[in-house]
Amino acid sequence: MAVVLITGGARSGKSQRAEARARSFPGRPVYIATAEALDAEMAERIARHRARRGDDWIERETPLDLVAALDATDGSGARLVDCLTLWLSNLLHAERDWSGEAALLAAALRRQRSPVILVTNEVGLGIVPDNALARSFRDAAGLLNQVIAEVADEVEFVVAGLPMKVK
Amino acid sequence: MAVVLITGGARSGKSQRAEARARSFPGRPVYIATAEALDAEMAERIARHRARRGDDWIERETPLDLVAALDATDGSGARLVDCLTLWLSNLLHAERDWSGEAALLAAALRRQRSPVILVTNEVGLGIVPDNALARSFRDAAGLLNQVIAEVADEVEFVVAGLPMKVK
Amino acid sequence: MAVVLITGGARSGKSQRAEARARSFPGRPVYIATAEALDAEMAERIARHRARRGDDWIERETPLDLVAALDATDGSGARLVDCLTLWLSNLLHAERDWSGEAALLAAALRRQRSPVILVTNEVGLGIVPDNALARSFRDAAGLLNQVIAEVADEVEFVVAGLPMKVK
């Protein structure tokens, strides 16, 4: 069993690094997308990621029910969850209790038998945002990262496409 | 003697890491807060930090006169200064010469006999802010971090609750 | 031959670190500035950097044609390019194909005989910007950093004036 958290900034190469880590485990890898193609920018991004990954992945779309998706795909290849920050955003839009869901996710990660690679974003290293919603989002994102990092066996911080070992 | 600088993004777990470092030294730890409970968001944050720390800390509130607070508490347990970025913000609002004060703080840190753990923020890793005030604040925050890191014996960059060794 | 990429946030001490690296190589160092003194803020910054560096540098100003500047100065001391993020911004303003230019730069770096130290910025670690232009700029900046990091022999991430080894 292995839980690996890959964090970093926008376009730092996190997804690509996570794909390489997922492929390094035996079995057919599973791609669990939290993104939904709600606008052109996102659709284009999803298409680009898919083209890069290739056809050999099992694909799941799970904007909210990450725990169910992990439990349902456990037992063979590695699962790549891309990404936690979007999952958090989806939970907030759906007015779900993100903090309770984060605890459930941490518990689910502890019981997985096949590896899980999770991609997340660092969003708290800029100037304090003007609006309260953005401030509370970045607070939640930071706390979520801490909760998942605590149960992870490895944490990597990706800079310019290169992983730095954090844990 | 030890001067330890703990830096990182918002909600990266900096304060919790700094508390653990402060407790690891002998003697009753001293919490030197630069925050003032001027609004509900800040009051809630201060209360949360206090609840986590517990009752065994000596507490000081020092929005501006950090050097005096350090000199006055020197000689027993470790001092935890939380945080430098807010101190900078307080100095700017009070129209004090932050750069001169930073040099005085660096000099004061060199003469302390009991340990000092300082928390600060990385605010310069986002997109360039639109407004000139935010740009000059992030410049000042970056320069302040450099000045204090230079006199520090150790510098840690906290990501997702985990420390990365910088110095 | 050595290609060194120095990345980090605003006022993290990247330029100063890059200057030290450039001076550590034999021969008279060459400063290749991508900045133009178009406003007072930038003119002041350029003047400050020049005062710190001293008089012994050969200076070039190259808002766009970085490859030509590198080829023209190859063969003696180290070249310091400060910085790639501004170069990207100049390319976008000039409506040049930044992605094609980035590939040409990577190819040019591979053929240099004298060392090249390149300064760049991390701009993707804050909250997602509201406006689409800022989002696409930070995407391009992140991708450019990945392309150059791939051909670099060393990559450093500077925090509070201190280098962390990435590659």
Side-chain angles (χ1 to χ4, degrees):
Chain A
M1 203 280 298
V3 174
V4 181
L5 180 66
I6 311 278
T7 190
R11 300 297 168 103
S12 61
K14 303 178 303 293
S15 294
Q16 211 160 343
R17 172 68 184 167
E19 288 163 25
R21 293 298 309 261
R23 279 181 189 287
S24 73
F25 292 99
R28 191 175 168 195
V30 182
Y31 185 82
I32 301 177
T34 58
E36 294 174 294
L38 298 178
D39 61 32
E41 201 173 323
M42 195 56 88
E44 185 269 335
R45 191 179 182 98
I46 290 172
R48 191 161 25 79
H49 277 208
R50 180 175 293 141
R52 188 181 57 205
R53 276 198 310 278
D55 286 340
D56 52 330
W57 294 67
I58 298 162
E59 293 193 14
R60 295 253 172 171
E61 272 193 29
T62 310
L64 294 168
D65 298 317
L66 210 43
V67 168
L70 286 171
D71 286 340
T73 56
D74 198 14
S76 55
R79 281 74 50 80
L80 165 48
V81 176
D82 195 356
C83 72
L84 289 181
T85 316
L86 211 51
W87 177 64
L88 173 66
S89 174
N90 296 339
L91 290 173
L92 291 170
H93 279 116
E95 298 187 353
R96 299 260 281 257
D97 163 28
W98 73 265
S99 160
E101 301 271 353
L104 291 174
L105 175 58
L109 288 170
R110 287 183 200 274
R111 71 173 169 256
Q112 300 300 303
R113 287 161 296 143
S114 318
V116 187
I117 322 296
L118 304 112
V119 174
T120 193
N121 287 264
E122 294 300 318
V123 300
L125 293 142
I127 212 82
V128 179
D130 282 334
N131 82 75
L133 208 67
R135 280 201 300 281
S136 74
F137 181 77
R138 73 170 197 160
D139 282 354
L143 293 168
L144 172 61
N145 288 353
Q146 289 187 50
V147 169
I148 304 307
E150 202 184 348
V151 300
D153 300 292
E154 286 183 56
V155 178
E156 292 183 344
F157 177 54
V158 179
V159 173
L162 301 161
M164 298 176 81
K165 186 153 196 74
V166 184
K167 182 182 183 177
Chain B
M1 205 280 298
V3 173
V4 182
L5 181 66
I6 311 279
T7 191
R11 300 297 168 103
S12 62
K14 302 179 304 292
S15 293
Q16 212 160 342
R17 172 69 186 166
E19 288 163 24
R21 293 297 310 260
R23 279 180 190 287
S24 74
F25 292 99
R28 192 174 169 196
V30 182
Y31 185 80
I32 301 177
T34 58
E36 294 175 293
L38 298 178
D39 60 32
E41 201 174 323
M42 194 55 90
E44 186 268 338
R45 192 180 182 97
I46 290 173
R48 192 161 24 79
H49 277 208
R50 181 174 292 140
R52 187 181 60 206
R53 276 199 311 277
D55 287 340
D56 53 328
W57 294 67
I58 299 163
E59 293 193 15
R60 295 254 172 170
E61 272 192 29
T62 310
L64 294 168
D65 298 316
L66 210 44
V67 168
L70 286 171
D71 286 340
T73 56
D74 198 15
S76 55
R79 279 77 48 83
L80 166 48
V81 175
D82 195 355
C83 71
L84 288 182
T85 316
L86 213 49
W87 177 64
L88 174 66
S89 174
N90 296 339
L91 289 174
L92 292 170
H93 279 117
E95 299 187 351
R96 298 260 282 256
D97 163 28
W98 72 267
S99 161
E101 300 271 353
L104 291 174
L105 175 59
L109 288 170
R110 287 183 200 274
R111 71 174 169 254
Q112 300 299 303
R113 287 161 295 141
S114 318
V116 186
I117 322 297
L118 304 111
V119 175
T120 194
N121 288 263
E122 293 300 317
V123 300
L125 293 141
I127 211 82
V128 180
D130 281 335
N131 82 74
L133 208 67
R135 280 201 301 280
S136 73
F137 181 77
R138 74 170 197 159
D139 282 355
L143 293 169
L144 172 60
N145 287 353
Q146 288 188 52
V147 168
I148 304 306
E150 202 185 348
V151 300
D153 300 292
E154 285 183 57
V155 178
E156 292 182 346
F157 177 52
V158 180
V159 172
L162 301 160
M164 298 177 82
K165 187 151 194 77
V166 183
K167 180 184 185 177
Chain C
M1 206 280 299
V3 173
V4 182
L5 180 66
I6 311 278
T7 190
R11 298 297 167 104
S12 61
K14 301 179 305 293
S15 293
Q16 212 160 343
R17 172 69 184 165
E19 288 163 25
R21 294 297 310 261
R23 278 181 189 288
S24 74
F25 291 100
R28 191 174 169 196
V30 181
Y31 185 81
I32 301 177
T34 58
E36 294 174 293
L38 298 177
D39 60 33
E41 202 174 321
M42 195 56 88
E44 185 269 337
R45 192 179 182 96
I46 290 172
R48 192 162 26 78
H49 277 208
R50 180 175 292 140
R52 187 182 59 204
R53 277 198 311 276
D55 286 341
D56 52 330
W57 293 67
I58 298 162
E59 294 192 13
R60 295 252 173 173
E61 272 192 29
T62 311
L64 294 168
D65 298 317
L66 210 44
V67 168
L70 286 171
D71 286 340
T73 57
D74 198 13
S76 54
R79 280 75 49 82
L80 165 48
V81 175
D82 195 356
C83 71
L84 288 182
T85 317
L86 211 52
W87 177 64
L88 173 66
S89 173
N90 295 339
L91 289 173
L92 291 170
H93 278 116
E95 298 187 353
R96 299 260 282 256
D97 164 27
W98 72 265
S99 161
E101 300 272 353
L104 291 174
L105 175 59
L109 288 169
R110 286 184 201 274
R111 72 174 170 254
Q112 300 300 303
R113 288 161 293 143
S114 318
V116 186
I117 322 297
L118 304 110
V119 175
T120 194
N121 287 263
E122 293 300 318
V123 300
L125 293 141
I127 213 81
V128 180
D130 282 334
N131 82 74
L133 207 68
R135 280 201 301 280
S136 73
F137 181 77
R138 74 171 197 158
D139 282 355
L143 292 169
L144 172 61
N145 288 352
Q146 288 187 52
V147 169
I148 304 306
E150 202 184 347
V151 299
D153 300 291
E154 286 183 57
V155 178
E156 291 183 346
F157 177 52
V158 179
V159 172
L162 301 160
M164 297 177 82
K165 186 153 195 75
V166 183
K167 180 181 184 177

